[in-house]
Amino acid sequence: MKNENLTIAAAREKLRTRELSSVELTEFYLARIKKHDPTLHAYLRVDAENALRQAREADMRIQDGTAGPLCGIPIAIKDLICQKGSVTTAGSKTLQKYVAPYDAAVITKLRDAGAIFLGKTNLDEFAMGSSTENSAFAKTANPWDVARVPGGSSGGSAAAVAADLCVGALGTDTGGSIRQPASFCGTVGLKPTYGSVSRYGLMAMTSSLDQIGPLTKTVEDAASVLNAIAGKDPHDATTADTVPVSIDSLKRGVKGMKIGVPREYFIEGMDPEIEAAVRAAIEKLKELGAAVVDVSLPLTKYALAVYQLTVTSEVSTNLARFDGIRYGYSAMNDKTASVKTLMEVYQKTRARGLGDEVKRRIILGTFALSAGYHDRYYVQAQKVRALIAKEFQGVFKEVDCLVTPTSPSIAFKLGEKFTDPLLMYLSDIYTVPANIGGICAISLPCGLSKGLPVGLQIIAKPFDEAALLRAAYAYEQATEWHTKRPPLN
Amino acid sequence: MELNERDIEKLASLARIELTDLEKELFADQISSILDYVKEIQEVDTSSVSEVPFHTRSSNVLRHDQMDQIEDTALSTDQFPAQFGKLNKVKPVMGDEKHEE
C-alpha cells in the first residue's frame, strides 16, 4: 500500500475515490505508531479501538455521501486539549488520571468534520517549555535525529507529523509552541491570530496568548484544518467571526505582495546556515514576484522579556486550580504525604504534582504580581506589549507579510539546555513577538542544516491568515523542502 | 533584582507550594537570572500608554443568563479526591488546626 506521507488533500482524494477506506488508513497509522513510537515517544496514549470505530463510521458516511471536510482523516491531538471520556494529562503528574468530562470546542468541530482521533501527543508540562523535555511521562525524540529534541511544547505533535504517525495534528502556541517544533521537525506549523480559534476545553497556560493551531505536512493542509477549527464560539468570549481561507485563493501567487524583512531578526552572530537558508527563501519569494523591502521593528528586543512576565503572571493565577481539592492528584489520598490541614493539602499537592518548570514559573509570576513589584514588572510588561502590537500595526501598513527565521538554531541535543531555563527561553526569541502582537504566523521548511530542518517564519496582520497562507503556499510549491522526510528505519 | 532563598520561601508560601531546600537554592539562582534579563523592559518609555491596556478587541460579550443542563455530571464528581455521598469532601477550612500564617 503506497500510503506513506499522505497529506490531508491526498488522503481525502483516496478516500473519495474509494482507493482506500478510512479503516485501512487508520490501521496503516496504528501500525506505523506501533513500529516507530517506542523510539520516538510522540504519543502519550493511542486509542486504537476508538479510532477504528470512528473510521468505520467515516467509511459509512463517505459511502452515503454525508462526509464532512476531514471525514476519515486520522489526526493526533496535543494532550492539553480535553477530549470527553479520555485521559487528558497536560503532560503533568497532577493530571495523570484525569478524565476530561467534556469535549473542547476544537474537538467538537473536528468530530463534526469527520476527523479520526488516533491519540494524544506528548508536550512540555502544561505547554511550558521549548523541547518537550518537561513532560512528566516521556521525552520525545526528533525523528530526524533521535538524540535531539523535537522542539516544544507541541513536540509530540510535530514529531508525529514528521514521522508520518498521523496525517496532521493539533498543537497550541503561546510563544512559539507550534512553530518552533514545526521548524525543528520539518513540518508546517500555523499559529492563528489570537481569537481565531476557541480555547474552550484547552487547559489554560497564558489565557491572553494561548492559541490552538495545526501542524501538517503542507500549507494547504494547514488551511484545511484551520477552516475546520476556526470561528466564533459562545464558550470563548475572545473568539471572533472568521472567514474561511479559500484553498483556491492560496494558489494566486505572491505577485504584487509586499514582503518585509525585519532587520532585528537577522543579528550578528546568528547561525550562518540558518541565515543563508532564510535569505535564499527571501530571494525565492522575490523571484516569484513579491516586492521585498527592509523594515525595522526596534521593540522586538523586548518581546521575550514581556513574554516571560506575562506568561509567568498568568501561569501563577491559572494554575492555582491545581490544588488537590476537586480533581487530579491530591496529597489527601497519598499516604506518604500524611496531610493534616487544608494548607498542607494545597502545599503538598502542588509540591508533588507539579514539575520544576511549572513551579519556577508560578513563583516568578507570584513575584511579578506581588504588591510593590506589580507596576514595575507586570504592568510595565503590558504597556510595552501594547507598544509592540502598535509597532506591528505600523509595519503592516507598509507590507503584507514579514519573513524571518523561525528559530535561532536547528534542533538541539536532548539535555543540552534542560538545566538552564534562560537559555531554553531564548530558543523562542523569533516566535514570541507574533504572540505578543496578537497576530498570525506560520513556520514552514526552507532548508537543511547539518541534515536537520530549518524553518522559515512568515508573519501577517491579525485575521489575515489568507495572505499568510498565500505567501507560504507560493514558497512551498516553488521549492522541494516540504517533501524531505526524516530518515526513519 | 536578586532574590534569596528566604524570598523564594515567602513567594512559594503565597503560591501554596512546599519547596525543598535544594529547590529554594536552585530557584533563587534561576529566578534572579531571569529577573536580571527581564529588567530591560524598564528602559522603554511607556508614557504614551496610559493604563493597563486590553490586548484583544475590548468589547463586552454577553449571553443570556439561562440555566443549562449539564450531562454526565458523574464524569466530574467521580473525580473528587475525597467524596461524601455525592459531595466533595475537604479538610476543615476553619478548625482547630493551627494556620501557618
Side-chain angles (χ1 to χ4, degrees):
Chain A
M1 216 168 27
K2 288 198 185 83
N3 294 330
E4 274 83 13
N5 297 313
L6 279 182
T7 61
I8 292 175
R12 192 192 280 140
E13 190 55 18
K14 279 179 186 268
L15 291 167
R16 190 185 66 81
T17 59
R18 314 284 202 280
E19 189 187 327
L20 196 64
S21 71
S22 178
V23 168
E24 286 168 327
L25 191 58
T26 304
E27 282 171 342
F28 168 78
Y29 286 111
L30 291 171
R32 277 190 71 83
I33 293 168
K34 202 166 178 184
K35 185 172 175 200
H36 296 293
D37 210 46
T39 315
L40 296 176
H41 304 292
Y43 284 87
L44 286 175
R45 280 170 315 285
V46 174
D47 190 348
E49 197 182 315
N50 185 43
L52 287 167
R53 183 183 51 72
Q54 280 185 292
R56 282 191 292 273
E57 286 168 16
D59 281 331
M60 282 196 288
R61 260 183 263 134
I62 292 167
Q63 214 135 42
D64 66 21
T66 56
L70 297 175
C71 192
I73 309 283
I75 57 164
I77 305 289
K78 185 178 185 178
D79 203 24
L80 195 64
I81 298 173
C82 289
Q83 201 178 323
K84 187 175 176 179
S86 298
V87 170
T88 303
T89 66
S92 180
K93 238 166 51 182
T94 202
L95 294 178
Q96 189 163 12
K97 294 177 182 161
Y98 177 70
V99 179
Y102 66 101
D103 272 339
V106 290
I107 296 292
T108 306
K109 287 190 173 203
L110 288 173
R111 266 191 215 288
D112 292 346
I116 311 299
F117 301 118
L118 288 168
K120 304 298 280 294
T121 54
N122 198 16
L123 68 158
D124 286 298
E125 185 174 5
F126 289 105
M128 297 184 207
S130 310
S131 66
T132 312
E133 291 167 291
N134 289 332
S135 166
F137 307 113
K139 293 201 194 311
T140 301
N142 189 314
W144 291 80
D145 176 354
V146 294
R148 290 175 189 267
V149 302
S153 65
S154 310
S157 289
V161 173
D164 199 23
L165 307 183
C166 59
V167 186
L170 285 190
T172 66
D173 192 313
T174 304
S177 281
I178 289 175
R179 289 160 288 155
Q180 184 253 25
S183 160
F184 280 14
C185 291
T187 75
V188 171
L190 168 67
K191 182 204 95 72
T193 306
Y194 184 83
S196 289
V197 179
S198 170
R199 292 173 292 109
Y200 177 69
L202 166 67
M203 292 186 195
M205 195 259 268
T206 307
S207 306
S208 74
L209 296 170
D210 298 338
Q211 196 61 194
I212 300 172
L215 289 114
T216 53
K217 292 164 194 162
T218 63
V219 173
E220 181 181 338
D221 282 3
S224 296
V225 177
L226 177 70
N227 285 344
I229 61 174
K232 203 176 181 88
D233 174 21
H235 290 113
D236 175 357
T238 62
T239 51
D241 281 317
T242 54
V243 182
V245 176
S246 135
I247 302 295
D248 283 343
S249 77
L250 297 184
K251 301 172 183 169
R252 274 196 231 135
V254 287
K255 217 167 185 163
M257 277 183 109
K258 206 164 170 190
I259 292 176
V261 180
R263 71 173 65 103
E264 289 76 9
Y265 288 71
F266 297 86
I267 44 174
E268 211 175 310
M270 78 181 289
D271 183 324
E273 289 192 22
I274 291 179
E275 179 169 11
V278 174
R279 296 267 184 213
I282 294 166
E283 280 309 306
K284 178 57 82 180
L285 285 161
K286 219 189 264 181
E287 218 176 274
L288 293 168
V292 175
V293 293
D294 285 332
V295 295
S296 177
L297 293 157
L299 293 174
T300 301
K301 65 184 264 208
Y302 302 109
L304 192 62
V306 168
Y307 174 79
Q308 278 307 317
L309 290 164
T310 306
V311 166
T312 52
S313 298
E314 292 193 36
V315 160
S316 77
T317 55
N318 268 332
L319 273 82
R321 71 192 61 168
F322 300 104
D323 57 6
I325 300 296
R326 288 155 300 163
Y327 48 78
Y329 167 80
S330 176
M332 267 194 290
N333 296 332
D334 189 340
K335 286 196 178 78
T336 64
S338 65
V339 290
K340 291 182 187 70
T341 66
L342 186 62
M343 185 59 87
E344 280 178 354
V345 175
Y346 296 149
Q347 289 178 324
K348 289 188 193 291
T349 295
R350 290 159 72 72
R352 291 166 181 233
L354 302 174
D356 280 354
E357 178 63 21
V358 176
K359 289 179 194 168
R360 190 158 44 232
R361 291 198 193 191
I362 290 173
I363 291 169
L364 177 51
T366 305
F367 170 76
L369 293 177
S370 63
Y373 296 103
H374 174 259
D375 283 349
R376 228 168 105 197
Y377 289 97
Y378 179 74
V379 174
Q380 175 70 0
Q382 298 321 300
K383 288 181 174 177
V384 179
R385 178 177 173 182
L387 293 175
I388 290 173
K390 205 169 152 199
E391 192 170 83
F392 273 122
Q393 276 168 24
V395 86
F396 283 124
K397 283 182 190 150
E398 310 293 322
V399 300
D400 299 298
C401 303
L402 299 168
V403 176
T404 78
T406 306
S407 172
S409 76
I410 49 173
F412 44 88
K413 294 225 165 86
L414 280 153
E416 190 180 322
K417 302 186 181 180
F418 192 56
T419 51
D420 187 342
L422 192 53
L423 197 62
M424 184 72 88
Y425 300 160
L426 286 168
S427 54
D428 296 331
I429 196 150
Y430 295 146
T431 48
V432 294
N435 302 79
I436 295 299
I439 54 188
C440 56
I442 193 168
S443 177
L444 68 160
C446 73
L448 291 172
S449 165
K450 301 171 187 74
L452 296 165
V454 177
L456 176 73
Q457 180 173 234
I458 306 179
I459 307 172
K461 63 175 177 265
F463 300 105
D464 202 4
E465 275 79 357
L468 182 77
L469 291 162
R470 193 173 130 207
Y473 183 85
Y475 173 77
E476 176 193 74
Q477 294 301 307
T479 58
E480 290 192 340
W481 297 115
H482 66 290
T483 63
K484 308 279 182 220
R485 307 271 40 121
L488 284 177
N489 295 323
Chain B
M1 180 86 198
E2 196 72 26
L3 294 187
N4 60 33
E5 287 156 46
R6 181 74 196 123
D7 299 323
I8 295 294
E9 198 176 292
K10 279 188 200 158
L11 291 165
S13 161
L14 279 170
R16 308 290 189 251
I17 302 175
E18 186 182 82
L19 294 182
T20 63
D21 287 344
L22 198 66
E23 282 174 320
K24 284 176 211 162
E25 196 186 321
L26 188 67
F27 289 168
D29 248 20
Q30 291 172 332
I31 292 175
S32 295
S33 82
I34 297 165
L35 286 174
D36 196 43
Y37 176 78
V38 301
K39 72 167 188 243
E40 64 180 18
I41 64 160
Q42 310 302 340
E43 69 198 38
V44 183
D45 177 5
T46 54
S47 53
S48 63
V49 188
S50 53
E51 51 187 313
V52 180
F54 285 106
H55 299 292
T56 57
R57 295 161 318 135
S58 47
S59 55
N60 280 329
V61 178
L62 303 171
R63 63 175 169 79
H64 293 292
D65 186 13
Q66 285 170 333
M67 295 258 285
D68 208 353
Q69 196 64 42
I70 306 292
E71 290 171 24
D72 304 331
T73 45
L75 272 176
S76 296
T77 55
D78 286 353
Q79 300 192 66
F80 291 156
Q83 280 178 286
F84 180 77
K86 282 185 179 175
L87 304 176
N88 187 12
K89 191 175 155 191
V90 297
K91 297 271 181 202
V93 177
M94 284 175 284
D96 296 326
E97 289 90 352
K98 230 175 129 188
H99 287 278
E100 291 203 355
E101 292 157 321

